[in-house]
Amino acid sequence: MLNTYYHPEIRNDNYEVLIERARENRPDDAKIATFKAELTQVLQGHREGLPDDAIDLATAYDDWDTDEEFLAWLWHELYPDEAVPVPETSSSE
């Protein structure tokens, strides 16, 4: 989904639309709901099936030190009133 909504070749024309759609939080917008679910999974550390270069391609021409820094920034841009999802930890007691 990153390549669909946040890719260097389309980002500049579509970024404001992406922010607007994400913040509208419309229940009938299945594509944005899927994007949010996938972004949540990636932020939580679940990257199975994600091409190795997906984040690098999405952030081409940007200057991020880590994938996590970029993903947290993007989450804050899209969902400013929600906490950034964090990796799930398993507690062994």
Side-chain angles (χ1 to χ4, degrees):
M1 294 298 278
L2 276 174
N3 285 336
T4 300
Y5 293 106
Y6 194 91
H7 187 279
E9 294 175 7
I10 63 168
R11 164 183 59 218
N12 295 338
D13 294 333
N14 294 320
Y15 185 64
E16 293 302 321
V17 173
L18 173 61
I19 290 174
E20 183 179 317
R21 282 179 69 184
R23 291 182 184 178
E24 284 178 348
N25 196 24
R26 291 184 15 222
D28 62 333
D29 193 342
K31 289 182 179 182
I32 288 297
T34 299
F35 178 81
K36 183 177 183 180
E38 290 178 358
L39 182 56
T40 297
Q41 288 184 343
V42 170
L43 280 160
Q44 291 174 332
H46 305 288
R47 300 193 180 176
E48 308 82 39
L50 185 68
D52 292 337
D53 61 350
I55 297 173
D56 288 338
L57 287 173
T59 62
Y61 313 114
D62 287 342
D63 191 23
W64 300 102
D65 291 331
T66 66
D67 290 349
E68 289 71 22
E69 182 182 290
F70 161 72
L71 294 168
W73 169 84
L74 182 59
W75 183 271
H76 281 295
E77 288 286 302
L78 301 176
Y79 310 105
D81 297 331
E82 297 182 39
V84 175
V86 295
E88 299 169 351
T89 58
S90 59
S91 60
S92 53
E93 298 178 313

